Each structure stands twice: as structure tokens, then as C-alpha cells.
Amino acid sequence: MSTLSTHVLDAVRGAPAAGIVVTLYHEAAQLDSGTTDTDGRIGALGGVLAPGTYRLVFGTGAYFADRQVDTFYPEVSVAFTVAEERHCHVPLLLSPFAFSTYRGS
């Protein structure tokens, strides 16, 4: 069984990015959504994930607007593949004009 979590860090502030709405999609269907906690984390999204391609959409525009910070990215979309039974962790390192992600553990 595969499960999913995420973590967002605000690289400019050097702190967790709390309050970002994150939505999980499988193909065109929305499966789940949540909001990052005070540590910038969502511990579980989507329940048990079957093999396939998924997409996380991070509501970065609203996050920066709440902080009165201009941003180039109104949202960040990260597609990933679940191919085996494991826990999937998708971290996002965020700034107003750049982002980075990787397959976490």
C-alpha cells in the first residue's frame, strides 16, 4: 500500500510554510486536499494510493498574497508516479520566484 505526505519550506523566510492549500489529483479527478500545518506539513493525503500518476497542486499564490509578497507562481503543480508499494513524500522548497522538489522518504 502506498501513502502520501508533503512538506513545504519557505526558503526566503527560512521557515515552514503554514497555511498552503494542497490538492491531490489522479488523472483529472480531485482525490483530496489539505492545508499545511504550523510545521509546513500534511501528514496524509489521498489515503491508500494505487499505482499510477498523481499530481499535487500547491496554492502558492494565496500563501504569498496573505503575506503581501509578489510571486511569479500562482500555483505549483508537481506530477509524480506511484509505481510500487511505499510511502511517498513530496517536499517543496518555495520562494516567490523559484521552487524545487524531490522524492523524499
Side-chain angles (χ1 to χ4, degrees), residues 23-46:
T23 307
L24 174 66
Y25 294 88
H26 181 251
E27 298 174 359
Q30 179 179 330
L31 294 182
D32 200 1
S33 68
T35 304
T36 55
D37 63 16
T38 57
D39 196 33
R41 298 181 182 274
I42 299 175
L45 274 173

Side-chain angles (χ1 to χ4, degrees), residues 17-88:
I20 292 184
V21 175
V22 182
T23 307
L24 174 66
Y25 294 88
H26 181 251
E27 298 174 359
Q30 179 179 330
L31 294 182
D32 200 1
S33 68
T35 304
T36 55
D37 63 16
T38 57
D39 196 33
R41 298 181 182 274
I42 299 175
L45 274 173
V48 176
L49 304 179
T53 300
Y54 294 83
R55 184 168 46 97
L56 285 174
V57 177
F58 297 83
T60 55
Y63 170 79
F64 286 119
D66 287 348
R67 286 150 186 79
Q68 299 179 343
V69 174
D70 291 334
T71 183
F72 184 69
Y73 299 104
E75 67 181 30
V76 171
S77 179
V78 177
F80 60 97
T81 302
V82 174
E84 59 189 55
E85 291 186 7
R86 63 172 284 156
H87 177 73
C88 299

Side-chain angles (χ1 to χ4, degrees), residues 9 11-12 60 64 71-73 76 92-100:
L9 293 173
V12 173
T60 55
F64 286 119
T71 183
F72 184 69
Y73 299 104
V76 171
L92 182 68
L93 182 62
L94 181 64
S95 80
F97 302 102
F99 64 89
S100 177

